[in-house]
Amino acid sequence: MVQGHVHACYESSCQVSVMATTKRPQDECSSTDEKKKKKKKSEKESREEPAELCAAVEDEQVKRAVTEAWSRKTTYSHGDLELDCQPFPHCIFRNFISSQAFAENLKKELLELNFHEKSNDLYKLKQSDDLKKRTEPHIAGLRAALFGRFRSWLGEVLGVELDPTVDISCAKYEYTDVLLCHDDELEGRRVAFILYLVPPWQSSDGGTLDLYTTDSNLQPQSIVKPLVPSWNTLVLFEVSPVSFHQVSEVLSQDKCRLSLSGWFHGPSLERPPRHTVAPVQRNPHLPRDETVLLEWINPIYLDISYQEQIQENFEDSSEIQLKGFLKEEKFKEVSEALRLSQIEWKKRGPPNKRRYEAAALDSLPQCVSACWELLHSEAFFLLLSNFTGLRLHYLCPADDEENGDEEKDKKQQDDGEATGSSNEPSSADVSREKEPSTPLCCGEVRRWSHGGYTLLHDGEAARAEYALDLVLPFGCAGWQSEFGGFTCYVANEEDEELLTVYPEDNSLALVYRDKETLKFVKHVNHKSTSEPDGSSTCREFYDFSFVYYE
């Protein structure tokens, strides 16, 4: 099975041998001059350049007004400062750094930093190292101002004591970079901030900071306030159970959205219990015999000896792709039917967990419905058992069952000795042993287009279990990996990808995952809407997505 694990990576070090030579006097002078230059440069870099902030931060009357408006959750504006409490409290400071020359020099220093590409389920961007100890004059000067007097000002406005923790980094968002919907909640974070150092920017460039409303369960609903980045503008907001926001995908191909961002730490706001969603309903197989397999599936996959080869390969790697799985005429029929307007596509959310469209089953054309029933049928459950060796049908032989029972009995005995409890089976235990679990499945028909994704989210790891994932894509001709829309498997609490499954027409993907493995579908980006000649198009693909449980 695909298992979660930590992969250690080691960089090899390269040692350079330098041959000793006799120095001439002028060489020694040159060396001394070089050292002096380096020392001067180091002294220059470490000399902090004081950052003067906007006048609003120094105005006591403005501070009192902001404090009152924040506590009452009302709006307030004065000069370059604007406070709005909808959909959640946030404050905007235009011309935050009073000196334009300082802001320009700060930008130059930031662009000279090393940036690392970061990509996972939630984001794709380029981020600098932590700026906590950088000695460049303007970076150090702004850091001192932010976490010094501005932190004090903010603490007085909120009526809380913010601790001196310095938490700041720099990010570059370029074409197709994005940060999807999240609430920023993490222990100790009280206020988030972003300082923009961008060229002239329009909403059509993307990269807006989008603020979401929330429903009665504190789940994000829709974007009600997109904030367009602007030069030398600082935005801050209180981190809370409702502070859902995103950085929309950057659509400009020639602009860089440069920003400094971080958090002021302090006592977290009280959080009510998280809303739990009822699990997706699982169903046993539909009573359909092997006739349905003969009608739909490429005959090669119905050959017993070929099924044995597939099972052997699957047991080695816990995953396999079966190309040309459906008969060609059936595949074409379903592909064409999925584009019919009669299908009712419903948006799946909330946006902090997923965004794509799923078909209402009662609106499916006959052939699409028949394909859905195929994947739900008893005959298909048995076929999957033959492909994978999993016990998805009572006819599937359970070679390891006796060994598994012995291990289970030993564990029960050990547990009983540890707790002093009796090892005699209860009537409920006997009843369960007599009734083997019924294999179940759940599935949907999905449509993927620009902006679609799924995210790893809180609580998902706790509910993870052994399962067989199935994906059967349609309409993928011309789809490229750089568009996104592929499925990634990752180890729990790790960004490392264990397996990536790319959408491919009529290629059945099967993946068996354990309790430490999670999956997500990577954000479908703007490249999916562009043609090589620069014109726009509307690319989309479809898939049948099923999960089977033993």
Side-chain angles (χ1 to χ4, degrees):
M1 71 192 72
V2 176
Q3 296 178 320
H5 65 280
V6 178
H7 176 70
C9 179
Y10 299 91
E11 290 186 357
S12 60
S13 59
C14 179
Q15 295 182 334
V16 180
S17 176
V18 181
M19 184 179 294
T21 58
T22 303
K23 288 187 176 181
R24 297 189 299 272
Q26 58 265 39
D27 291 335
E28 293 176 358
C29 292
S30 299
S31 177
T32 303
D33 291 343
E34 200 65 33
K35 287 179 181 177
K36 286 180 179 179
K37 287 180 182 178
K38 286 182 179 178
K39 184 178 179 182
K40 285 181 180 179
K41 183 180 179 183
S42 176
E43 288 174 352
K44 184 178 179 181
E45 282 184 351
S46 62
R47 190 170 61 245
E48 184 180 296
E49 191 72 31
E52 295 297 327
L53 304 183
C54 60
V57 178
E58 310 296 337
D59 191 319
E60 285 295 323
Q61 187 176 346
V62 170
K63 182 170 68 176
R64 287 194 296 270
V66 173
T67 302
E68 183 178 357
W70 197 297
S71 65
R72 293 185 176 184
K73 300 293 185 285
T74 58
T75 59
Y76 172 79
S77 63
H78 177 85
D80 288 332
L81 183 151
E82 177 188 335
L83 170 67
D84 189 358
C85 292
Q86 297 301 323
F88 50 83
H90 59 281
C91 197
I92 302 169
F93 296 82
R94 294 177 179 83
N95 300 308
F96 180 68
I97 301 170
S98 59
S99 166
Q100 290 300 311
F102 185 102
E104 290 284 1
N105 287 324
L106 174 64
K107 179 181 178 180
K108 289 178 183 176
E109 290 178 1
L110 292 172
L111 288 174
E112 290 176 358
L113 298 173
N114 291 323
F115 286 83
H116 312 280
E117 289 194 15
K118 304 279 188 176
S119 181
N120 62 13
D121 62 312
L122 187 63
Y123 53 72
K124 184 175 83 73
L125 51 88
K126 297 166 191 68
Q127 188 177 48
S128 74
D129 294 327
D130 194 333
L131 301 183
K132 185 176 182 177
K133 296 181 180 179
R134 299 299 303 192
T135 58
E136 289 85 349
H138 297 83
I139 293 175
L142 179 68
R143 183 180 63 227
L146 278 173
F147 292 94
R149 61 184 183 277
F150 187 71
R151 174 176 61 87
S152 299
W153 180 90
L154 186 57
E156 290 178 34
V157 167
L158 296 176
V160 298
E161 186 174 348
L162 298 173
D163 67 49
T165 301
V166 175
D167 193 347
I168 184 171
S169 64
C170 180
K172 291 196 299 186
Y173 288 78
E174 295 171 321
Y175 181 52
T176 73
D177 287 345
V178 69
L179 173 59
L180 299 170
C181 180
H182 63 292
D183 61 11
D184 260 11
E185 277 207 304
L186 201 63
E187 187 65 35
R189 291 178 179 176
R190 183 57 185 259
V191 176
F193 69 87
I194 312 98
L195 174 63
Y196 299 108
L197 297 169
V198 296
W201 203 274
Q202 292 80 40
S203 57
S204 59
D205 294 322
T208 53
L209 176 64
D210 297 333
L211 311 184
Y212 286 82
T213 56
T214 50
D215 61 19
S216 58
N217 294 316
L218 305 186
Q219 294 296 293
Q221 284 186 305
S222 57
I223 297 166
V224 292
K225 190 170 184 179
L227 301 174
V228 179
S230 60
W231 170 258
N232 193 15
T233 294
L234 182 126
V235 178
L236 63 83
F237 59 85
E238 197 166 34
V239 176
S240 75
V242 298
S243 57
F244 286 101
H245 60 285
Q246 73 167 12
V247 175
S248 68
E249 183 183 359
V250 173
L251 305 178
S252 171
Q253 298 192 35
D254 56 7
K255 294 181 183 179
C256 172
R257 183 189 186 274
L258 182 70
S259 64
L260 279 165
S261 60
W263 294 270
F264 295 102
H265 289 242
S268 299
L269 292 174
E270 184 179 351
R271 181 182 185 102
R274 289 188 183 273
H275 175 63
T276 55
V277 181
V280 177
Q281 182 178 338
R282 301 174 184 178
N283 301 298
H285 58 65
L286 298 173
R288 305 286 190 276
D289 62 22
E290 66 276 7
T291 305
V292 70
L293 304 183
L294 297 170
E295 180 184 354
W296 280 86
I297 295 175
N298 185 336
I300 192 174
Y301 293 115
L302 303 181
D303 181 83
I304 296 299
S305 60
Y306 197 55
Q307 290 175 15
E308 290 173 353
Q309 292 179 38
I310 291 171
Q311 184 178 139
E312 186 176 334
N313 292 336
F314 185 85
E315 288 176 344
D316 284 342
S317 61
S318 298
E319 59 91 13
I320 199 164
Q321 291 203 49
L322 306 178
K323 300 179 185 296
F325 185 71
L326 298 181
K327 290 182 174 180
E328 189 60 33
E329 65 273 15
K330 287 293 186 182
F331 176 77
K332 287 182 178 179
E333 184 181 7
V334 173
S335 296
E336 293 170 1
L338 284 168
R339 294 182 172 85
L340 296 177
S341 59
Q342 76 175 69
I343 300 178
E344 180 186 353
W345 294 100
K346 297 182 178 180
K347 291 182 179 179
R348 292 290 317 278
N352 62 324
K353 296 178 181 177
R354 62 188 71 84
R355 182 186 173 192
Y356 61 87
E357 295 172 297
L361 297 181
D362 58 3
S363 71
L364 295 178
Q366 193 279 326
C367 69
V368 180
S369 182
C371 188
W372 188 87
E373 289 186 7
L374 163 72
L375 302 178
H376 219 132
S377 68
E378 178 178 4
F380 195 77
F381 270 60
L382 180 56
L383 183 63
L384 287 178
S385 292
N386 292 342
F387 284 159
T388 65
L390 299 175
R391 194 168 174 79
L392 294 171
H393 193 279
Y394 70 90
L395 291 179
C396 177
D399 295 335
D400 300 329
E401 192 166 295
E402 289 184 7
N403 292 335
D405 287 345
E406 287 174 7
E407 291 178 8
K408 181 179 176 183
D409 291 342
K410 186 178 186 303
K411 184 178 185 304
Q412 287 177 342
Q413 183 178 354
D414 292 343
D415 291 346
E417 290 173 358
T419 61
S421 62
S422 169
N423 290 320
E424 290 299 318
S426 66
S427 58
D429 292 332
V430 173
S431 175
R432 280 196 295 270
E433 288 176 8
K434 289 180 179 177
E435 297 177 13
S437 60
T438 302
L440 302 170
C441 79
C442 56
E444 58 186 347
V445 183
R446 307 182 296 187
R447 179 166 70 179
W448 296 98
S449 57
H450 181 214
Y453 60 84
T454 67
L455 299 176
L456 308 176
H457 50 85
D458 294 335
E460 185 176 19
R463 296 192 300 271
E465 55 189 305
Y466 294 94
L468 177 68
D469 294 330
L470 175 151
V471 175
L472 180 58
F474 294 80
C476 304
W479 193 269
Q480 299 177 33
S481 59
E482 65 178 6
F483 298 167
F486 46 83
T487 302
C488 291
Y489 288 83
V490 296
N492 186 20
E493 297 184 353
E494 299 286 340
D495 283 346
E496 180 200 358
E497 293 180 9
L498 304 175
L499 174 69
T500 302
V501 179
Y502 295 96
E504 183 179 342
D505 269 347
N506 201 14
S507 180
L508 184 81
L510 298 174
V511 179
Y512 187 54
R513 53 186 161 89
D514 68 3
K515 294 181 179 181
E516 293 299 316
T517 305
L518 306 174
K519 64 174 179 175
F520 66 88
V521 176
K522 186 64 175 175
H523 175 258
V524 179
N525 63 55
H526 187 258
K527 290 180 181 178
S528 66
T529 69
S530 304
E531 294 287 4
D533 62 3
S535 62
S536 295
T537 186
C538 183
R539 285 196 188 90
E540 56 191 21
F541 72 91
Y542 311 82
D543 64 27
F544 286 74
S545 173
F546 274 66
V547 183
Y548 298 85
Y549 304 89
E550 290 181 282

